[in-house]
Amino acid sequence: MRVKVMRPIFKPEHSNPDFVLYPYHIFHLRLFYRRLGKSDRVLDYFAYVDLYRLGAERGDGFIELYEWDVEGNKVMEPLVGYDEAEKKALESAITWGNSRVISWWLPRIEVVRHERAYKVFWIFERDGENLIMDSLDGKEFRLDSLVGKDGRKCRGPFCR
């Protein structure tokens, strides 16, 4: 299957690590604020909505995306649909915008761009220990801290 992937920044030094793709929906939103006695304000907001746990993070821009051809078992299925993700992005944008602009009115919001994309989590072994690396911040986690040693007790977002 062909999917859009957020450009990995970090990759383990392992020669050929495995990976899992974690679902997000990225939004570029433009907020238009009317203000009494002042000029109107226009703000751009970038929301990264986690389609597994329904959380939203603010980004500095729209991350570069690559298209990868991958096997379906490498892709985590989202638990959140587009409508819920868009609602979460809009709520996050309004909260952020209202902390920066004083206005009697809620902003008019335009969706400039949106894409479903996946964050790469590298899976590799080092010194006999199975690890997972976040490709955007380089943080490493022991696999058994997310999944029980028997492989069935799932305590993290990588459970399938």
Side-chain angles (χ1 to χ4, degrees), residues 30 40 48 53 67 87 94 98 102 115 117 131:
R30 189 158 290 142
D40 293 349
Y48 290 76
R53 294 178 289 182
E67 285 195 0
K87 181 180 176 184
I94 289 170
N98 287 351
I102 296 173
E115 297 278 351
L131 302 168

Side-chain angles (χ1 to χ4, degrees), residues 10-73:
F10 296 93
K11 186 175 182 181
E13 294 178 5
H14 189 275
S15 61
N16 193 16
D18 201 0
F19 61 89
V20 65
L21 300 178
Y22 189 92
Y24 278 84
H25 208 101
I26 306 169
F27 293 88
H28 174 191
L29 305 172
R30 189 158 290 142
L31 291 79
F32 299 88
Y33 281 94
R34 290 179 35 203
R35 300 189 307 165
L36 287 174
K38 294 185 175 190
S39 61
D40 293 349
R41 289 277 310 268
V42 178
L43 303 172
D44 285 303
Y45 185 81
F46 299 92
Y48 290 76
V49 179
D50 181 324
L51 297 182
Y52 205 82
R53 294 178 289 182
L54 190 58
E57 294 181 51
R58 186 179 68 81
D60 294 330
F62 209 99
I63 194 166
E64 186 177 357
L65 301 177
Y66 294 142
E67 285 195 0
W68 284 11
D69 287 317
V70 299
E71 299 170 19
N73 66 352

